[in-house]
Amino acid sequence: MDIVFVGAGRLATNFASALKQNGHRILAVWSRTIASAQALGAKVGCQATDKLDALPLQADAFVVAIKDAALAEVIPPLCKGRENQVFLHTAGSMPLTVFSGYTQHGGVLYPMQTFSKERLVDFSCVPIFIEGADDVALDMARRLAESVSREVRVLSSADRKHLHLAAVFACNFANHCYALSAKILEQHGLPFEVMLPLIDETALKVHSMHPFAAQTGPAIRYDQNVIEAQKALLSDDADIQEIYDIMSKSIHRLAND
């Protein structure tokens, strides 16, 4: 199929690359910054532009992979003159209705994964959640998703918001904890690499155990002596100390619900 990408960031780079590897043709890439568009265009062998009106008027699908806040600004001029085309946004927390009034063939194709430009993911393992305003958009979203991924599910905008919220906890907040761990280690001359076996084992355990069952540490039994001693070590950083306290209490409450 012939695809146009609106956006050239981390998700767009990974998804466009996966589509190309699976036999699709990327016709063009747009980005606000021409350098970003050219970088992705060179990677997938297509036209690059920073002007929406320079994009093709027709394609099998226009994939809109931009910041959530930019959708309302970009969608109206993008859809103008292309009202009969299929448009699919990739945002986890934005509803399908952002396309209302601009195209009848609006849809969602949300790959739930963390992406970077430097490290391309194996899209076959990425769960993709789709939605469509009509059968045309839903069918296109399904065909594109199933061409790159083994796990494709139809999900409403309302349920996708909760999925995205859960992903924030599992990915973004977990990674922030890694960053806090790294900060503590570096303050005492230790490399973050010493944590990698622990992180890997924790991640592997939840492939075969429920996260509640995999939980260990002083908070689950609320070992107050250890908890208070560790909080004291954080007395020079009130923010991290507060996070530690809230997390410990939350772990203990969940373990005893």
Side-chain angles (χ1 to χ4, degrees):
M1 286 183 276
D2 291 339
I3 314 298
V4 170
F5 266 82
V6 180
R10 291 172 292 182
L11 190 158
T13 297
N14 277 262
F15 191 29
S17 299
L19 288 172
K20 182 175 175 62
Q21 289 169 7
N22 283 277
H24 300 285
R25 185 164 65 125
I26 312 302
L27 296 181
V29 172
W30 172 91
S31 176
R32 289 185 188 278
T33 56
I34 191 61
S36 295
Q38 288 172 338
L40 181 51
K43 189 181 291 289
V44 296
C46 73
Q47 169 198 352
T49 183
D50 58 356
K51 297 178 175 58
L52 288 172
D53 57 10
L55 290 172
L57 292 176
Q58 293 185 328
D60 290 303
F62 289 76
V63 175
V64 187
I66 57 178
K67 292 180 180 178
D68 293 5
L71 285 170
E73 178 186 351
V74 169
I75 285 174
L78 173 65
C79 293
K80 188 175 182 180
R82 304 181 181 91
E83 289 84 358
N84 293 323
Q85 300 297 297
V86 174
F87 297 87
L88 305 171
H89 81 63
T90 60
S93 60
M94 296 299 290
L96 175 63
T97 53
V98 294
F99 290 116
S100 295
Y102 302 108
T103 176
Q104 61 181 331
H105 304 315
V108 179
L109 192 157
Y110 171 52
M112 195 184 67
Q113 183 55 278
T114 178
F115 297 104
S116 64
K117 291 184 179 181
E118 298 78 14
R119 174 184 166 85
L120 296 181
V121 304
D122 177 2
F123 242 87
S124 67
C125 301
V126 176
I128 300 180
F129 299 85
I130 62 172
E131 187 181 11
D134 66 355
D135 289 343
V136 173
L138 184 62
D139 179 64
M140 180 57 66
R142 179 180 282 110
R143 289 165 64 192
L144 284 180
E146 289 180 348
S147 73
V148 297
S149 173
R150 295 192 298 265
E151 184 173 355
V152 178
R153 299 172 185 243
V154 178
L155 192 69
S156 70
S157 290
D159 287 336
R160 184 164 27 84
K161 286 183 179 180
H162 289 90
L163 174 75
H164 188 253
L165 172 62
V168 166
F169 276 91
C171 175
N172 306 124
F173 288 177
N175 190 74
H176 183 60
C177 287
Y178 299 158
L180 296 181
S181 173
K183 180 180 179 181
I184 293 168
L185 290 167
E186 288 161 6
Q187 287 172 344
H188 297 277
L190 292 166
F192 181 67
E193 286 74 16
V194 301
M195 288 292 160
L196 295 180
L198 177 63
I199 291 170
D200 291 343
E201 176 60 20
T202 303
L204 284 171
K205 278 202 294 188
V206 296
H207 281 262
S208 57
M209 301 170 62
H210 193 284
F212 290 162
Q215 187 70 58
T216 62
I220 194 167
R221 56 187 181 272
Y222 215 75
D223 187 336
Q224 198 153 6
N225 289 337
V226 175
I227 289 171
E228 292 303 321
Q230 291 189 335
K231 284 171 63 177
L233 293 175
L234 298 169
S235 59
D236 60 342
D237 195 321
D239 287 344
I240 300 182
Q241 188 181 63
E242 184 179 8
I243 292 169
Y244 179 97
D245 190 46
I246 291 170
M247 292 280 279
S248 296
K249 289 175 179 176
S250 179
I251 290 169
H252 185 66
R253 279 197 300 270
L254 281 177
N256 289 278
D257 278 351

